Every structure is written in C-alpha cells, then in structure tokens.
Amino acid sequence: MEDEEMEKKVQQYLQRKGFRLTELALQEERNRLSTSAISDVALDRSENDPARYHDGYSKLRTWAYSSLDQYKHELLRVLYPVFIHCFMDLVAEGHMQEARSFFHTFREDHEVMNSRDLQKLEAVLSPSHLEEMELARSLRQNKFKIKLCEYSYELLLQYLQKTQALVVLGVINEHITFEVSPGQPSLISDDADVVALIGTSKDLAKQINQKEVHWGLLEDSVEERMEKALAESDKIEAENKDADAEDNKKRNAEGGKQGSSLKKTKKDKLVGATGKNVRTETSMVSVAPRVKPELTLPATPIEVEQSILEDLRNRAQLNSVALPSVSFYTFLNTHNGLNCSSISHDGSMVVGGFSDSSVKVWDMSKIGQPAKTSGSQGENGSSQGERISVVNEGKRPYTLFQGHSGPVYSTAFSPFGDFLLSSSSDSTIRLWSTKLNANLVCYKGHNYPVWDVQFSPVGHYFASASHDRTARIWTMDKIQPLRIMAGHLSDVDCVQWHVNCNYIATGSSDKTVRLWDVQTGECIRMFIGHRSMVLSLAMSPDGRYMASGDEDGTIMMWDLSTGRCVSPLLGHSSCVWTLAFSCEGALLASGSADCTVKLWDVTSSTKALKTEDTKGGSANRLRLLKALPTKSTTVYSLRFSRRNLLFASGALSLSSS
C-alpha cells in the first residue's frame, strides 16, 4: 500500500508541475513491470509442469535422429542418460502417471542396449523407491561419461543454446560428463565403451589408470625353476644322444645290426624334437619381465615340483593350427540344483555346488567302479563336514560335504588339489580337506551372499567377491580377511588372481572391471566398456592381458599396462560363465550359457597390437578358431591342465533340448 500511495503522490506532483513526458514514461515503466510479473508467474507454472520433460526429451530425440549420419551414432549416446534422469526426476517430483507415460513412450529407444536396467527401473513406483533401489541410487549419485568427437560436441552445444532446453541442459550439467577427442567420430563398432557410469569425479578412471602396474611373472617361480631344470635335462639328453651316435657309428663299423641303429636314430630325433618343442613353447612366457612377490609365498613340496616337471615335459604346444583336446564332464539329473562347478588342475576331481547347500566331489578314477562303504575316513568327529560315499544309479560314488546353510554359489580347488573352498548365500566361506574329507575352517566377514571365491596360483591365499560390493583377501590360517577392496558401485560378481599374486581383478554388476594391489588394497586400474554385469575373468600366463566376459555374451581383452581394450570378442549369444587361457597363452577358451565352448586365437591379436600400437584396439579383433557346441549343456567351468588338455564341465539342461 505504501508503494501505491507513493506512486499516486509522484503522479500528482508531475501533473501539477506540468511534466507530461515524465508522467507518460512512468506509466510505461509501470505497465512493463506488471507485464514481466505476469510472465514470471507463467514461467513458474511452466517449471512445475511435468510435460516439460516429455517435450525436452522428444525434441532432443528428434534432433539427434535427424543429424548427419557421420555424427548421428555419437549424438544418440546422449539420449539414454537424459531419458533415465528425466524419468527419475518426474518420479522424484511425484508425477507418477506422467513418469509411467514418459517411460513407456520412449522405452523402445534403449531396449536393445539397456534392457536389464530398464526392467529394474520399471519397478520404480514412488519417490521412496528411488532411495531403496540400488540401481536408481547409483544412477542418481554418479555421472555418465560419454565420448564424443569435437564436432559432435559443438553440435550438441549449439542445439542446447539455440533451443534453450532448460530441462535437458540441467540433466546434462548434473549427470553427464563428456570426454571430447579431436578428429573424426569414433567407429560405430567402438560403442561398447563410449557410455559408462563412473564415480562422482569425472577424472576418476583416468586418475586410477595412471598408476603403475608390474605385470610380469614372479622371480624364481616353481615353473621357472622347472623349465630351467627341463632345459638342463634336455641338454644332457642331447649330449647323451651325441655319445650314443658315436657308439652306433663304431658298432656299424664293427658290423653291428643296421636295424637297431636305425631305430635308435629315429628315437633320438623324436626326443630331440620334443625337447625343442618344450623350449620353444616356454620361451613365449619366459620373455615376460620378472617381479618380486609382495606376499610371503608358501614353500612348494618336492613331490609337487616333480609332478610339475613331468607335466612340463609332456605339455602339448597349442596354436591356431594345433587345437587342444577337450574332456567335458556333464552333470545329469541336477534338476536346476547345480549352481557352480570346478575342476582340479589335473582333472582328477570335479566339484559341484548345489542349491540345497551341499558340496559334492567326484573322483574321476572311481567313476564306473562299485562303491565302497567307508567307515574310518568319514568318521573324523567333525559336525560340519562328513563324507558319504553313495552310488548314484549304481555308478557314481561321490564325497558329500555339508555345512553351509544356503545355496552354494562358488567352489575352487587349491593348486595341488588337497583343499577345496566353497562360498554360499549364508555369507560364509568354508575350507574343506579333500584328503580328510572334512570341513577345516569357516570364514566369516562378508555381510551378504558370497558370489565367487578363488585360490591364488600358489595356494594358501584366496580372494572372495560378494553382494556387499567388496572383494576380500584371505589366508588359510586366519579367520579374518587381510584386505578389503571397496569401490565398486554394485555387486562384485567374480574375482581372479594375477599370475604373480600381487594383484587381483574383480568384475561387477556396475559393468566395470577393477584391478587391485594386494599389498595396499588400492584400485590401480578401472576397465570401462562392458554393457552388462561382468561374470567371468581370466589372466594370461605372462600376466600382461586379462579377459572378461559379461551377461550379454561379450568378451573383452584388456592390456593391464595401459588399461586399454585390446579386442572385443563377439560370438556368444548368452552369458559367458567361464574363461581360460592355455598354458603358453596362445589360445583363449570361453564357455557360455548358449551351450558352446569357443576357442579364440590370442597370438594374432597381441602381435597386431605390438606392431600397430598407434592404432585403436578396435582394429585388432581376436579370431574365432573353433566353436564346440554341446547338445544342451550349459558350460559352467573351463580349465587347462598343465599339459594343455582342456577340461570343461556343465549341467545338462532338458529345457533347451
């Protein structure tokens, strides 16, 4: 009221003094202010209008799809993050009906690449669900990183400036960070790693990947000592061969039998060729640098060293022409109860983890033999583990281990087969003795189900992965973990040791793979590129490369030293459950839920990487050498023996037959 009275008095004063122009100017200013006030009210109403999300996204979508083909595939990358954040903002503001309509209208745009995330987000029915659902919380707390070329980025900025799309601009500023690269747009085939969810710091992955990784093999490892011993024995054999050749010449001169000399010469050639074969094959791994162990490693028994020496002596050399023999163990009549399986290093034992909380071990040497009822071996006084030798249809004796109180999700043999680990939904890990047939230790530390557990290459240490988003390092003689690796945004689904025991790799439902330093517990590499949860990992024998398989059937080969994807492997049509490198690293085997084992040529891709280091990794794709389909058996586990025989196991699925 005071302002109005003041304006009236000012107007009366101007009229009395005859300031007509000033009075008109004051009236115009008053009218202009009232008009802007009305427009501000209209703007406030439009800011609360839920239709602005639909309009903003729809215009961005139309613009992206109508862009030049050369840049369209890059600009389309922006749509998915904008779509899900528009949907979640509508839910957060309480516009549930508009949110559902928006979601179903534009869902088809992203169904191919992000179907699993969309299925989860479809269950969001109230603002409280955004706080309760892990995926929604992760999406709102972290940023998307999108790779664009310089010109595509300029086109996007021009569009946002021209249209004044405030909703889209707000989403991009708050939830998206761009990695702009000079030059031409990336290839469409490179779209695997161009949109990824990262932490709140936009340079998190870059900062992590700048750390140094010593990817070589251990100094004075058992296999290195055995290879040296084998080389020395080959040298002695060669000297003996020369001496025998001299003796044969003398015998021939004295009229000895020519036939025996001929046989001896052929045998010597065969032995010489075998020794040469072994040396050639081991040299591929021996070129890797040697590093010192960060952990205190256990001593290797003499009988184990002798066994390794024998295996190295009889190892088959594999390459793109010489493919491995495969021994496949099929579980019958599991009735969907088998969750996991594992094979010992020599293939003599196979273990299965079941939904009824049991762990069963089959001794391959006893398959087909009549079962023997055992008394003394099973009666060890342990209430947690027992041995029950039974006959399954008169043919299958197995050892039953009971102790878990929930489904068993992972099993792993120690390198020498004398111990067995199992992890369960009861959040515990159990250590079993395959010689005593008893439960030795129950490790408690995780708060939720433990999805995976793996022994280190030297035994004694093991690593676990859990629903609680952590991986942990354990030792057999302590019930508490030595290290806790925390950093993943979702479940840690799989874990794998590096060959030098100084690092572990973890794959997660957050679609990333991380490499951790065992000594410090720090993340030293983050590998971004998968479009679904990572289910399997494998390390190359020389320690330089790592393979990871995901739920969509994609396998990616990574260079640990650079953190770069060497080559994507496309061929499986379903989850890749297991991966394994051959002993010399020439081949990679993959097993999938699509009931196939596939063999990939690693050597050609890594050679191309070394010769064309300046080019992108997408140009070097691993060559599929062989696809080995089963009738209807999903592949759960793969393992190359020290002699390069490939073992595989899986459960017969009647539904797919």
Side-chain angles (χ1 to χ4, degrees):
M1 292 295 294
E2 293 180 359
D3 291 341
E4 291 179 1
E5 290 178 0
M6 181 63 71
E7 286 179 1
K8 285 181 180 179
K9 289 180 179 179
V10 170
Q11 190 173 4
Q12 290 173 0
Y13 174 79
L14 293 174
Q15 288 175 353
R16 283 200 310 269
K17 294 293 184 180
F19 296 142
R20 183 64 181 165
L21 293 177
T22 307
E23 182 182 357
L24 292 174
L26 181 62
Q27 288 179 352
E28 288 179 4
E29 181 68 18
R30 189 186 303 158
N31 293 335
R32 189 183 65 78
L33 290 175
S34 63
T35 304
S36 64
I38 294 173
S39 63
D40 288 343
V41 172
L43 183 61
D44 289 339
R45 288 176 181 172
S46 67
E47 286 180 354
N48 295 323
D49 184 9
R52 71 189 190 279
Y53 289 100
H54 186 285
D55 295 341
Y57 177 80
S58 179
K59 290 177 181 178
L60 177 67
R61 177 179 178 273
T62 302
W63 171 78
Y65 276 103
S66 61
S67 301
L68 291 173
D69 290 343
Q70 186 178 3
Y71 305 101
K72 182 191 296 185
H73 69 279
E74 284 201 337
L75 296 172
L76 290 177
R77 298 168 186 169
V78 183
L79 293 184
Y80 176 65
V82 173
F83 166 74
I84 57 175
H85 282 292
C86 285
F87 168 70
M88 289 191 292
D89 286 350
L90 281 168
V91 173
E93 293 175 9
H95 305 299
M96 294 312 305
Q97 187 173 352
E98 291 82 356
R100 305 313 304 168
S101 174
F102 175 83
F103 186 84
H104 291 296
T105 301
F106 301 109
R107 173 177 182 164
E108 290 185 5
D109 294 347
H110 317 288
E111 194 73 52
V112 175
M113 304 303 298
N114 303 280
S115 59
R116 178 163 289 273
D117 287 353
L118 294 178
Q119 289 172 7
K120 293 180 180 178
L121 289 173
E122 194 174 17
V124 175
L125 301 174
S126 69
S128 62
H129 289 174
L130 295 176
E131 298 298 325
E132 296 168 1
M133 181 180 289
E134 182 181 321
L135 173 64
R137 197 166 60 245
S138 176
L139 290 170
R140 289 175 72 82
Q141 292 175 355
N142 300 284
K143 287 190 174 185
F144 279 92
K145 183 186 75 174
I146 300 178
K147 294 182 181 180
L148 295 177
C149 76
E150 212 164 6
Y151 191 72
S152 296
Y153 185 63
E154 289 294 330
L155 287 175
L156 179 62
L157 291 181
Q158 289 174 16
Y159 167 79
L160 295 173
Q161 187 176 6
K162 181 180 178 181
T163 59
Q164 294 292 310
L166 299 180
V167 172
V168 175
L169 187 61
V171 169
I172 289 176
N173 284 335
E174 189 173 355
H175 300 291
I176 300 177
T177 178
F178 293 98
E179 183 177 316
V180 181
S181 58
Q184 294 298 314
S186 59
L187 299 175
I188 297 178
S189 57
D190 288 346
D191 279 8
D193 63 340
V194 292
V195 181
L197 190 67
I198 61 172
T200 51
S201 171
K202 70 176 187 177
D203 293 326
L204 177 62
K206 274 190 176 180
Q207 291 172 2
I208 289 174
N209 291 348
Q210 287 175 354
K211 298 177 182 177
E212 190 175 4
V213 173
H214 302 285
W215 55 267
L217 303 178
L218 283 177
E219 289 181 350
D220 197 33
S221 64
V222 176
E223 291 210 4
E224 187 178 8
R225 293 201 306 271
M226 295 302 100
E227 288 171 7
K228 289 180 180 177
L230 191 60
E232 290 176 2
S233 66
D234 289 343
K235 185 177 180 181
I236 294 172
E237 284 182 11
E239 292 174 354
N240 292 337
K241 181 186 73 172
D242 293 338
D244 290 342
E246 291 294 329
D247 292 342
N248 288 333
K249 287 180 181 179
K250 290 179 181 179
R251 288 173 187 168
N252 292 338
E254 294 171 359
K257 292 184 178 180
Q258 185 70 21
S260 61
S261 173
L262 185 61
K263 290 180 182 177
K264 181 68 176 177
T265 305
K266 286 183 178 178
K267 183 180 178 183
D268 290 339
K269 286 182 179 178
L270 183 61
V271 171
T274 305
K276 183 180 179 182
N277 190 26
V278 171
R279 283 193 295 272
T280 302
E281 150 215 334
T282 54
S283 66
M284 295 177 67
V285 175
S286 61
V287 295
R290 265 40 182 183
V291 298
K292 293 182 179 180
E294 295 181 0
L295 298 174
T296 304
L297 303 181
T300 306
I302 296 177
E303 59 271 16
V304 172
E305 291 190 355
Q306 291 175 346
S307 173
I308 294 175
L309 179 61
E310 185 66 22
D311 288 339
L312 289 176
R313 191 181 294 275
N314 292 281
R315 178 179 290 177
Q317 184 178 2
L318 303 180
N319 51 48
S320 58
V321 179
L323 300 181
S325 299
V326 184
S327 176
F328 201 109
Y329 301 137
T330 303
F331 289 82
L332 302 177
N333 304 316
T334 59
H335 307 292
N336 297 322
L338 181 70
N339 293 331
C340 60
S341 69
S342 185
I343 306 166
S344 63
H345 277 256
D346 58 358
S348 61
M349 291 184 290
V350 179
V351 61
F354 292 85
S355 296
D356 62 0
S357 76
S358 66
V359 177
K360 297 176 183 178
V361 180
W362 280 262
D363 188 337
M364 292 297 103
S365 63
K366 295 179 181 178
I367 294 291
Q369 295 182 1
K372 299 176 182 178
T373 57
S374 64
S376 59
Q377 288 183 329
E379 296 171 0
N380 48 36
S382 172
S383 61
Q384 294 176 322
E386 59 176 324
R387 181 182 181 188
I388 304 174
S389 189
V390 301
V391 180
N392 184 10
E393 298 178 357
K395 288 186 177 181
R396 299 202 173 190
Y398 59 82
T399 305
L400 174 66
F401 293 119
Q402 291 180 312
H404 285 293
S405 59
V408 178
Y409 290 123
S410 179
T411 54
F413 283 103
S414 64
F416 312 130
D418 46 352
F419 296 105
L420 173 68
L421 285 170
S422 61
S423 66
S424 167
S425 67
D426 62 12
S427 73
T428 67
I429 303 163
R430 289 183 179 265
L431 178 70
W432 313 84
S433 171
T434 57
K435 294 181 178 178
L436 301 176
N437 301 312
N439 181 219
L440 304 179
V441 190
C442 178
Y443 303 94
K444 298 178 181 178
H446 287 289
N447 303 317
Y448 291 95
V450 184
W451 302 129
D452 194 19
V453 63
Q454 293 292 333
F455 263 111
S456 73
V458 296
H460 190 65
Y461 300 96
F462 60 93
S464 59
S466 171
H467 176 61
D468 62 14
R469 305 183 190 180
T470 68
R472 305 187 185 214
I473 304 292
W474 311 73
T475 182
M476 287 170 54
D477 55 3
K478 291 183 174 62
I479 60 172
Q480 297 297 328
L482 302 179
R483 296 285 184 276
I484 298 177
M485 281 69 174
H488 279 293
L489 307 177
S490 189
D491 294 39
V492 183
D493 297 303
C494 55
V495 63
Q496 187 61 252
W497 285 83
H498 192 271
V499 290
N500 63 23
C501 300
N502 292 337
Y503 309 104
I504 65 165
T506 55
S508 171
S509 293
D510 66 10
K511 307 174 188 176
T512 67
V513 180
R514 292 180 183 236
L515 189 71
W516 308 82
D517 189 311
V518 170
Q519 189 64 34
T520 63
E522 291 184 355
C523 177
I524 57 174
R525 284 290 181 275
M526 182 189 292
F527 305 95
I528 299 174
H530 284 284
R531 290 194 173 274
S532 59
M533 59 197 300
V534 182
L535 299 174
S536 55
L537 296 167
M539 293 285 181
S540 65
D542 64 355
R544 180 175 180 181
Y545 301 102
M546 175 181 66
S548 57
D550 65 23
E551 189 181 31
D552 292 339
T554 302
I555 303 168
M556 305 193 84
M557 182 80 74
W558 307 93
D559 187 335
L560 296 185
S561 59
T562 63
R564 192 176 69 179
C565 178
V566 176
S567 175
L569 287 67
L570 305 175
H572 287 292
S573 59
S574 188
C575 312
V576 179
W577 292 121
T578 178
L579 295 165
F581 279 93
S582 60
C583 294
E584 74 291 326
L587 303 180
L588 174 69
S590 59
S592 170
D594 63 10
C595 302
T596 62
V597 175
K598 293 183 185 290
L599 299 174
W600 308 84
D601 183 8
V602 176
T603 308
S604 61
S605 176
T606 53
K607 282 182 179 177
L609 178 70
K610 292 172 184 175
T611 56
E612 303 177 14
D613 205 22
T614 57
K615 295 185 179 180
S618 61
N620 308 315
R621 295 187 181 276
L622 264 67
R623 183 161 59 101
L624 177 62
L625 297 175
K626 189 79 172 177
L628 305 170
T630 64
K631 288 184 178 178
S632 57
T633 302
T634 55
V635 185
Y636 284 8
S637 178
L638 291 172
R639 179 185 290 281
F640 278 95
S641 72
R642 291 192 186 92
R643 301 190 182 194
N644 263 340
L645 173 63
L646 179 58
F647 294 105
S649 65
L652 181 67
S653 175
L654 297 177
S655 60
S656 61
S657 60

